[in-house]
Amino acid sequence: MKRILTLWKAFLRSDLREFESFFWSLLFPIILFFILSSIFGNLDSEAGINFKIGVVREEKLTGLGVIIDEVLKSTSGEEGPFVIREFPTIEEAKDALKKGSIELVMRIPKGTSSKLAAATLLKTSVIKSELEMFYIPGNQSSEIAADIMSSVFNQVDLEIAKRKNPNYSSVEIVKNSLTTEKTEEFSYVTFLFPGVLLMTVLIVTLMDSPYTLTFSRDSGLNRKLYSTPISPLQYLIANILKAVSMNILGVVLLYIVALSFYPVDNKILSLKFIGAFFFSLVTMLPFGLMIASLVKKASAVVAISQILFQTMMFLGGLYFPITNAPPAMKVIIHTIPTTYLVELMRRVLGYKFSDMSNYMLLLVPILWATGATIIFSFNFKKVMAYE
């Protein structure tokens, strides 16, 4: 045991002194968490998408025309989809639209108020007030803004109809409230945390561990160590302990940053969540050993590890939900272990993104770990250069 601990300390010091190992294991997860949470961290906010609308008023609205102002006011500001920007002339507004500083132009022409009054007094639809819109075809934001503004025009017609007849009602909406025992608000930062946590596991198990074993075998370091009292099994255990130690150090730093600066759910401190993390680490360690046992050269290990790392990271749903993936992709998604491991950790936090049973979340990773362990054990001597 003393030899294993001595070798483990030497391996750990070596990794901490190398910038590449230090960066990928300790710093990169924090940087990635910061970037993704900064970009997508407001997905759970109540604020909607805002469209900049240029409004050109060619007259001061009076009478029933004030309804247009009321509707525009109700659809702009903090609660509405529009940010209104006034322009003195239609030409200036069109120039701003072409330059992309606004998404839509709305023109309220002269005579709007009088036409609305005449149509109301005469109770006819022949006299109409024409409000003009200008948008850029092919520009998604501009087209969406135009569609929304069209709905606003319909609202204007509805309000005018109500003013003509106070008892007018087109649709009656009955609100029914439902109560649940517990209401959970979605937080992308909390959703992201298990994904980044599992990514730290993948860095150690898929990239660091198999490369270290293959490089040591190819460079002859193993055989030199075997000339000492250290056995292949002791060497392997020391390497695994080093990988686990680096992973835990990275996780501790990630925890400190997440809890100090981000609104992450405190459930990440629960024993159940920490247990799910260690379950992920234990079941993924044999995967890296299997890679080392099947691939001969260190350069090939790097390439294969990268492919598996990217596949398990993105198709495993570590950063984004993958429920709407194409059928062909779903075959891979339901095969790789990370899909089940990240879902397991998220369910502890109260999020459920698949219909898989809790039993399957444990069974599939265990099957992968068992198969990988068996394959590695058959090639143990080859991997450790002990033939």
Side-chain angles (χ1 to χ4, degrees), residues 311-328:
T311 301
M312 291 191 181
M313 185 168 56
F314 290 106
L315 294 185
L318 271 59
Y319 309 136
F320 308 101
I322 50 175
T323 53
N324 295 322

Side-chain angles (χ1 to χ4, degrees), residues 135-143:
Y135 69 98
I136 305 296
N139 185 313
Q140 188 176 16
S141 297
S142 185
E143 290 181 346

Side-chain angles (χ1 to χ4, degrees), residues 187-353:
S187 169
Y188 179 73
V189 175
T190 301
F191 168 86
L192 175 65
F193 187 81
V196 177
L197 205 63
L198 188 54
M199 186 207 66
T200 66
V201 173
L202 295 182
I203 289 175
V204 168
T205 58
L206 293 184
M207 299 177 66
D208 179 63
S209 182
Y211 176 78
T212 299
L213 290 174
T214 310
F215 177 79
S216 298
R217 180 186 63 198
D218 293 347
S219 64
L221 176 62
N222 292 21
R223 295 183 182 278
K224 292 179 182 178
L225 287 173
Y226 300 156
S227 63
T228 68
I230 296 173
S231 68
L233 183 59
Q234 290 173 333
Y235 172 76
L236 176 63
I237 294 174
N239 260 294
I240 293 175
L241 288 177
K242 182 265 298 183
V244 171
S245 301
M246 288 294 291
N247 190 210
I248 292 176
L249 284 174
V251 168
V252 169
L253 288 176
L254 183 61
Y255 260 87
I256 292 172
V257 171
L259 292 172
S260 300
F261 303 104
Y262 296 93
V264 182
D265 197 316
N266 286 332
K267 288 180 183 178
I268 64 173
L269 295 171
S270 67
L271 292 177
K272 199 171 182 180
F273 182 82
I274 295 173
F277 159 72
F278 276 107
F279 175 76
S280 302
L281 177 58
V282 170
T283 52
M284 286 304 300
L285 275 170
F287 211 101
L289 299 178
M290 180 182 67
I291 295 174
S293 69
L294 296 176
V295 184
K296 295 181 179 180
K297 295 184 178 180
S299 58
V301 166
V302 172
I304 293 174
S305 296
Q306 277 289 349
I307 293 172
L308 292 174
F309 177 75
Q310 300 295 336
T311 301
M312 291 191 181
M313 185 168 56
F314 290 106
L315 294 185
L318 271 59
Y319 309 136
F320 308 101
I322 50 175
T323 53
N324 295 322
M329 286 294 185
K330 286 187 177 180
V331 175
I332 302 175
I333 289 169
H334 287 93
T335 301
I336 56 180
T338 49
T339 303
Y340 301 86
L341 294 173
V342 76
E343 179 73 14
L344 177 64
M345 285 193 279
R346 283 176 180 148
R347 286 194 185 180
V348 176
L349 300 178
Y351 296 137
K352 183 177 180 180
F353 291 92

Side-chain angles (χ1 to χ4, degrees), residues 91-159:
E91 288 75 18
E92 291 184 29
K94 287 181 180 179
D95 287 341
L97 178 62
K98 292 176 182 178
K99 292 177 181 177
S101 57
I102 58 176
E103 279 84 27
L104 186 72
V105 172
M106 177 180 175
R107 175 175 169 264
I108 305 175
K110 290 181 180 180
T112 297
S113 298
S114 59
K115 287 182 179 179
L116 287 174
T120 303
L121 291 173
L122 298 175
K123 295 183 179 181
T124 178
S125 60
V126 175
I127 302 174
K128 292 183 179 180
S129 178
E130 296 180 355
L131 304 180
E132 289 187 284
M133 288 191 307
F134 300 89
Y135 69 98
I136 305 296
N139 185 313
Q140 188 176 16
S141 297
S142 185
E143 290 181 346
I144 292 174
D147 291 338
I148 297 175
M149 186 59 78
S150 297
S151 298
V152 172
F153 290 169
N154 293 333
Q155 179 67 19
V156 172
D157 288 336
L158 179 60
E159 290 295 329

Side-chain angles (χ1 to χ4, degrees), residues 57-68:
R57 304 174 188 269
E58 296 183 351
E59 72 166 17
K60 184 178 180 180
L61 296 170
T62 58
L64 288 176
V66 175
I67 297 174
I68 298 176

